[in-house]
Amino acid sequence: MMNAEDFFKKVTAHAKEYGYVFPSSEIYDGMSAVYDYGPYGVELKNNIREYWWHAMVRHNENIVGIDSAIFMHPTIWKASGHVDAFNDPLIDNKDSKKRYRADVLIEDHIAKIEAKIDKEVQKAEKRFGEQFDKKMFLETNPRVVEYRKQMEDISHRMNSMLTDGDLAGVKALIEELEIVCPVSGSRNWTDVRQFNLMFSTKMGSVAGEDGGTIYLRPETAQGIFVNFLNVLKSSRMKVPFGIAQVGKAFRNEIVARQFIFRMREFEQMEMQFFVKPGTELEWYQYWKAERMKWHLSLGISPDKYRFHDHEKLAHYANAAADIEFEFPFGFKELEGIHSRTDFDLGAHQQYSGRKMQYFDPELNESYIPYVIETSIGLDRMFLAILSNAYCEEILEDGSERTVLKIPARIAPVKLAVLPLVKKDGLPEKAREIMDVVKYRYLCQYDEKDAIGRRYRRQDAIGTPYCITVDHQTLTDNTVTLRDRDSMLQERIPAERITEVLSLKL
Ligand code: ATP
């Protein structure tokens, strides 16, 4: 078994080698926490985006989409609280000069305790074999119970300090837990300070002009809130209804790490669902369940997902949960589902002077709707898919293959068309097929090298199906269809290729 760190390094290297993700500006030595997507990466990203958009906007008649600008009026970020409160607590190690998010250091410490629990479970599993009752063990084993208590205690203390803005307390907690800098190994920490994550720039021709400061949006949600009235009037929507948007967001993250997990420029897929006040917690439960269903519909093992209900709520929320995914570096937030009350629309009503309200014909009165938000990072979802898909296998004949088991319906290339040999009219026949299928799916034609090598190449980029044209094709017009995961082949008539494929996809 490879350890998690080596595994993640392999995923990252594979992503680069096979045209999924490149470090940005690489020929100039790169930019930290900024990445570019290559030829296969952009396809996968488009497919994930489309899969989300369809699930949200097409399948729900009461959800519509928008595409708002990245630049917005600076007062929006006052109203949303981002100017005053979009801060991360940061701390520096004086020896390594490395900067960390104080809360992340503490969370990593908690994750280490959790890893100890996992070790205990593994040991016990070995010891008890078949009879092992994991649930019972987790609840009763004294060591595990003690670890769990420690985790809860630390998390609780950290959250209340962060809520109270007690930065000295956070530093004291880091010292008490004897957390060391992963680089220098020392405990020589600075005080904890607040750091605003918004990028600012100047609008207009005169830099330095007063009031010219604007921000790159740190989330797409505010573009939805400020268009609430426009959408309401133009789309004939009635509460409950939702507005969805996909777009770039920017955060000056202090700690850039874990590849595309935490980026400074990234893409969000957000949906704000407007409901009648008092019904929001029902809708919150509804969207929690719906979003989990969406994830599971891709066919990834349910063990990889879990909910994490927030103990520390943002000042505007009355319920919040994350959908966490088991990345190679542990369970981490992939998506957030938040019940945001009337905070955002209320704040925009106050700052803009416009009535951000809905007239409810049934109640015959106006109110500011409450909001349930679902917010997922497109890049983070990409990483979840990619790291889950990467797999090294030893085949029956002893040879090895690296395969990306990307769910077929979002895989970049759906089909490869391969003539068995480069002669006897097989390439011409394969080209004929290619010219039909390429209008339906992204397909690749490949005639170079032995067929085994070509299969390996398609495995490495995650192509779910390969069609091989051989001599029999010329006599009975059948081809073989090879499945990436099982590597099984079946013979099908060439004219049925798109039909068979559309059933599978
Ligand atoms: P974190 O605690 O990891 O910083 P967050 O709680 O600030 O995340 P939200 O503001 O709720 O995240 O953003 C919603 C989603 O956007 C997250 O679940 C995540 O998928 C994605 N996201 C947030 N920040 C980043 C980032 N820097 N890079 C990539 N994706 C991000």
Side-chain angles (χ1 to χ4, degrees):
M1 258 310 261
M2 218 186 301
N3 72 35
E5 204 173 312
D6 289 343
F7 176 79
F8 193 47
K9 273 193 196 138
K10 287 206 164 176
V11 173
T12 314
H14 191 88
K16 184 175 168 209
E17 187 179 346
Y18 287 92
Y20 272 85
V21 183
F22 306 132
S24 158
S25 320
E26 200 187 7
I27 59 169
Y28 291 97
D29 293 337
M31 289 263 293
S32 116
V34 187
Y35 290 90
D36 299 337
Y37 288 86
Y40 298 117
V42 67
E43 296 291 340
L44 177 58
K45 207 173 161 204
N46 285 344
N47 293 347
I48 298 172
R49 191 192 289 113
E50 190 182 80
Y51 192 64
W52 182 87
W53 189 264
H54 278 202
M56 286 304 196
V57 178
R58 285 222 190 144
H59 300 177
N60 294 289
E61 289 168 35
N62 60 353
I63 298 183
V64 289
I66 62 162
D67 181 19
S68 71
I70 288 171
F71 292 145
M72 298 201 273
H73 195 285
T75 309
I76 288 170
W77 305 113
K78 267 295 217 194
S80 69
H82 285 83
V83 172
D84 298 320
F86 191 51
N87 296 313
D88 272 349
L90 68 86
I91 189 166
D92 292 42
N93 183 271
K94 291 184 197 160
D95 298 319
S96 68
K97 306 268 182 277
K98 290 276 173 206
R99 180 161 291 178
Y100 300 91
R101 252 171 72 176
D103 56 331
V104 171
L105 280 181
I106 297 171
E107 268 159 18
D108 285 351
H109 182 83
I110 294 174
K112 278 189 192 142
I113 303 177
E114 194 174 12
K116 286 189 197 164
I117 296 181
D118 287 345
K119 270 225 177 93
E120 293 291 335
V121 169
Q122 278 167 15
K123 264 199 287 177
E125 241 165 6
K126 258 200 204 135
R127 193 155 14 108
F128 295 113
E130 291 278 296
Q131 287 118 36
F132 182 60
D133 180 344
K134 186 169 168 188
K135 191 162 170 281
M136 172 89 124
F137 181 79
L138 287 176
E139 277 164 18
T140 54
N141 178 279
R143 226 174 284 164
V144 170
V145 171
E146 174 56 28
Y147 285 144
R148 289 239 307 266
K149 208 174 130 281
Q150 280 177 17
M151 287 170 63
E152 275 159 31
D153 175 59
I154 297 168
S155 161
H156 180 77
R157 284 170 62 196
M158 176 183 81
N159 284 330
S160 59
M161 284 169 186
L162 289 173
T163 309
D164 300 343
D166 176 10
L167 299 181
V170 175
K171 182 181 180 188
L173 182 61
I174 288 175
E175 283 169 342
E176 176 193 322
L177 297 173
E178 303 187 346
I179 294 175
V180 298
C181 166
V183 176
S184 69
S186 90
R187 281 186 243 148
N188 196 5
W189 297 109
T190 64
D191 287 342
V192 178
R193 281 164 298 145
Q194 294 284 13
F195 175 79
N196 193 289
L197 296 182
M198 278 198 294
F199 283 101
S200 64
T201 184
K202 295 278 175 192
M203 186 100 152
S205 53
V206 196
E209 204 181 354
D210 260 4
T213 299
I214 57 164
Y215 301 100
L216 298 187
R217 66 179 178 198
E219 61 174 32
T220 58
Q222 296 305 322
I224 294 178
F225 292 124
V226 300
N227 276 297
F228 171 71
L229 293 176
N230 284 334
V231 173
L232 193 62
K233 282 187 200 136
S234 57
S235 66
R236 303 177 60 229
M237 285 287 136
K238 287 203 181 85
V239 165
F241 77 98
I243 306 178
Q245 159 153 254
V246 180
K248 288 268 172 135
F250 304 83
R251 296 183 187 180
N252 200 359
E253 299 282 2
I254 300 160
V255 211
R257 36 166 221 177
Q258 287 156 338
F259 194 33
I260 57 172
F261 180 81
R262 194 176 295 290
M263 303 158 91
R264 298 208 164 103
E265 172 179 343
F266 58 101
E267 213 164 323
Q268 285 186 316
M269 307 193 284
E270 297 198 294
M271 193 276 298
Q272 310 292 327
F273 199 73
F274 301 92
V275 305
K276 194 164 102 185
T279 65
E280 73 276 8
L281 291 179
E282 266 165 64
W283 281 110
Y284 167 72
Q285 293 301 345
Y286 173 84
W287 280 110
K288 253 178 89 171
E290 277 299 296
R291 292 305 304 146
M292 187 59 104
K293 261 196 240 162
W294 180 83
H295 285 283
L296 298 180
S297 73
L298 280 168
I300 293 173
S301 162
D303 302 344
K304 291 268 170 181
Y305 293 92
R306 72 182 187 195
F307 281 115
H308 170 240
D309 293 312
H310 283 207
E311 183 199 341
K312 174 195 161 212
L313 293 173
H315 57 285
Y316 51 80
N318 65 1
D322 296 335
I323 292 178
E324 293 186 337
F325 184 81
E326 191 175 16
F327 290 95
F329 37 86
F331 271 100
K332 294 272 182 249
E333 170 177 346
L334 172 58
E335 169 158 10
I337 296 125
H338 309 127
S339 174
R340 296 176 71 110
T341 69
D342 60 355
F343 172 79
D344 304 271
L345 289 179
H348 289 305
Q349 173 164 301
Q350 189 194 333
Y351 277 82
S352 70
R354 303 292 170 89
K355 240 176 136 188
M356 305 296 281
Q357 299 189 1
Y358 170 74
F359 177 75
D360 191 323
E362 277 163 35
L363 296 176
N364 201 24
E365 66 176 52
S366 294
Y367 54 75
I368 301 178
Y370 271 39
V371 169
I372 307 301
E373 163 182 87
T374 71
S375 173
I376 172 170
L378 175 49
D379 314 84
R380 224 175 252 192
M381 183 66 194
F382 184 110
L383 182 60
I385 297 283
L386 190 73
S387 58
N388 188 68
Y390 184 88
C391 174
E392 293 175 359
E393 288 179 348
I394 302 204
L395 305 180
E396 271 172 23
D397 65 0
S399 66
E400 266 180 49
R401 72 162 183 165
T402 302
V403 50
L404 289 183
K405 295 186 175 175
I406 300 174
R409 64 177 92 173
I410 55 169
V413 179
K414 298 282 190 278
L415 183 74
V417 180
L418 318 169
L420 185 63
V421 288
K422 218 164 113 183
K423 55 182 187 189
D424 306 337
L426 299 187
E428 289 75 10
K429 179 70 196 163
R431 274 267 168 225
E432 242 175 63
I433 293 174
M434 179 70 183
D435 282 338
V436 175
V437 290
K438 75 180 183 193
Y439 291 99
R440 271 296 281 283
Y441 303 107
L442 183 63
C443 300
Q444 257 184 14
Y445 176 84
D446 190 3
E447 58 179 24
K448 193 168 173 280
D449 300 324
I451 191 75
R453 296 239 342 232
R454 281 181 273 163
Y455 284 149
R456 286 301 92 80
R457 272 204 292 271
Q458 296 300 329
D459 288 342
I461 61 169
T463 307
Y465 302 105
C466 291
I467 286 284
T468 305
V469 170
D470 54 19
H471 292 93
Q472 192 182 330
T473 312
L474 301 181
T475 59
D476 66 3
N477 204 35
T478 61
V479 294
T480 61
L481 178 70
R482 172 190 183 265
D483 180 285
R484 175 194 67 201
D485 301 345
S486 67
M487 291 187 291
L488 295 176
Q489 308 199 10
E490 54 178 319
R491 266 205 109 80
I492 61 166
E495 65 272 12
R496 287 194 55 223
I497 295 172
T498 43
E499 182 196 330
V500 171
L501 225 62
S502 71
L503 283 176
K504 289 185 185 287
L505 296 166

